[in-house]
Amino acid sequence: MTSPQAPLPTPFTAAATADDVLAGVDLTGRAAIVTGGHSRLGREVTRALAAAGATVTVASRDTERAAAVVGGIDGVSVEQLDLTDPASIDDFADRWNASGRALPMLVNNAAVLFQGERRVDARGHELAFSTSHLGHFQLTRALLPALRAAGTDGGARVLTVTSGAARFGRIRWDDVDFTTEYDPGAAYGQSKRANTLFSVELDRRYAAEGIRAFAAHPGVVIGPAPHRADRVASYRAQGLVDEQGATIIDPVAGKKTVEQGAATIVLGAASPLLDGIGGVYLKDNDVAVLDDEDRPLTADSIPADANSAMLDPADARRLWDLCEQLLA
């Protein structure tokens, strides 16, 4: 059974870093997979887990690029995985399962951000949904043997990185691939809503086997300046950079450094503070509050607390069934 969507509370503030969250946590002998673990947030998650003693496998479509980024981190290896390619997903999972390694930590981190035009994978599925959700859905199910093995020995965690956009996203049940009326913001929001619903249903199905699931909002993390010239105007309009183009850091308002953004992810993946709970949405290094008030998105306010719709158990089951059909 999923846990109540309410803060514990933890001792951490919104400004805490990944190292703060994992201070005193010993992950020696525990394995982790981080998809996209060489990206900006992904690399910090990889580094922090490895620094706490974990053996981390970075799963990346571009292994050369990933190795160039994380190759110097002790305890980290890189393996090929393309989340838009079902054969690649099966190959990755088959290799892991054949090794006999248990999997205590799976971090579904890879994602596709806003696309100017509709793009699809080899199966014809819209790319944001395919990469952020459907590929991770297939990967997680394929790795269930390894997750179960860890579940009987201290427990397993599946942490899926979502976004506050899950609060506004909607599942287009009759057209998840946006074959008509494509909108990049709506497609991104759908993929993030799918991340939270997936975590709810995964936890419901497998908590009894020691596999707990979480969705985590890392905050808005755009990294330090300089920023791409074509993005500065948008960032300024959203209150993310100042007039000089420097990144604005305000953790309480959800605007975070990479180190702060990674903190909520590693909390869900590895912190013992979350032992015994699951199926919840994390924000600012705690279980987020449940807020069903209608709060519009503005340049000065980025609502990112949980609401009932993004965690609806009926929708979570419906999405699971739909994804099984899409992969059949």
Side-chain angles (χ1 to χ4, degrees):
M1 179 179 295
T2 55
S3 304
Q5 183 68 45
L8 297 179
T10 73
F12 306 114
T13 69
T17 66
D19 284 340
D20 294 333
V21 168
L22 292 182
V25 177
D26 185 4
L27 300 179
T28 302
R30 296 178 70 77
I33 293 172
V34 183
T35 66
H38 62 292
S39 64
R40 186 171 51 217
L41 269 177
R43 184 191 184 282
E44 179 61 10
V45 171
T46 295
R47 185 207 61 78
L49 292 175
T55 300
V56 183
T57 298
V58 169
S60 172
R61 182 175 56 185
D62 188 340
T63 55
E64 290 187 5
R65 179 184 174 196
V69 173
V70 302
I73 304 175
D74 290 341
V76 176
S77 61
V78 175
E79 291 196 27
Q80 204 280 332
L81 170 67
D82 183 347
L83 287 164
T84 68
D85 181 351
S88 176
I89 296 170
D90 285 341
D91 287 346
F92 178 91
D94 287 346
R95 292 195 305 271
W96 186 280
N97 291 331
S99 74
R101 290 175 289 176
L103 181 58
M105 294 171 283
L106 172 59
V107 180
N108 292 325
N109 167 73
V112 169
L113 297 178
F114 299 97
Q115 302 293 313
E117 59 184 29
R118 180 176 178 268
R119 296 168 59 194
V120 298
D121 67 11
R123 298 168 293 190
H125 297 306
E126 190 276 323
L127 200 61
F129 185 79
S130 173
T131 305
S132 298
H133 172 64
L134 191 60
H136 284 132
F137 177 83
Q138 180 183 345
L139 177 67
T140 303
R141 291 204 311 160
L143 288 169
L144 278 173
L147 291 165
R148 286 192 178 103
T152 60
D153 183 23
R157 300 268 186 94
V158 179
L159 183 286
T160 301
V161 180
T162 184
S163 158
R167 183 180 176 92
F168 305 98
R170 299 289 184 273
I171 306 296
R172 288 174 44 125
W173 296 108
D174 296 326
D175 186 19
V176 293
D177 292 317
F178 282 86
T179 59
T180 63
E181 301 178 348
Y182 174 73
D183 176 84
Y188 177 76
Q190 173 180 255
S191 72
K192 297 295 99 179
R193 172 67 68 87
N195 292 153
T196 60
L197 294 174
F198 168 61
S199 300
V200 169
E201 180 62 7
L202 181 68
D203 195 81
R204 185 191 73 82
R205 287 175 178 252
Y206 298 110
E209 298 181 55
I211 303 170
R212 305 310 303 260
F214 302 90
H217 168 53
V220 180
V221 181
I222 63 171
H227 301 291
R228 278 176 41 177
D230 61 337
R231 294 183 178 177
V232 171
S234 174
Y235 287 164
R236 188 175 290 119
Q238 296 174 69
L240 301 177
V241 301
D242 62 20
E243 289 302 315
Q244 288 70 46
T247 303
I248 295 173
I249 301 300
D250 185 355
V252 174
K255 305 169 187 179
K256 301 190 179 187
T257 66
V258 172
E259 294 80 8
Q260 292 166 342
T264 303
I265 300 173
V266 300
L267 179 89
S271 174
L273 294 174
L274 296 180
D275 285 351
I277 69 174
V280 292
Y281 166 81
L282 309 175
K283 169 181 172 281
D284 291 342
N285 303 308
D286 205 337
V287 179
V289 300
L290 187 66
D291 174 21
D292 284 335
E293 292 293 322
D294 184 16
R295 303 189 188 280
L297 179 67
T298 69
D300 298 322
S301 176
I302 308 173
D305 287 322
N307 64 12
S308 298
M310 63 195 267
L311 301 165
D312 181 78
D315 279 357
R317 297 184 195 191
R318 183 180 181 185
L319 180 64
W320 189 285
D321 292 341
L322 173 62
C323 291
E324 285 186 333
Q325 296 169 18
L326 294 176
L327 294 176

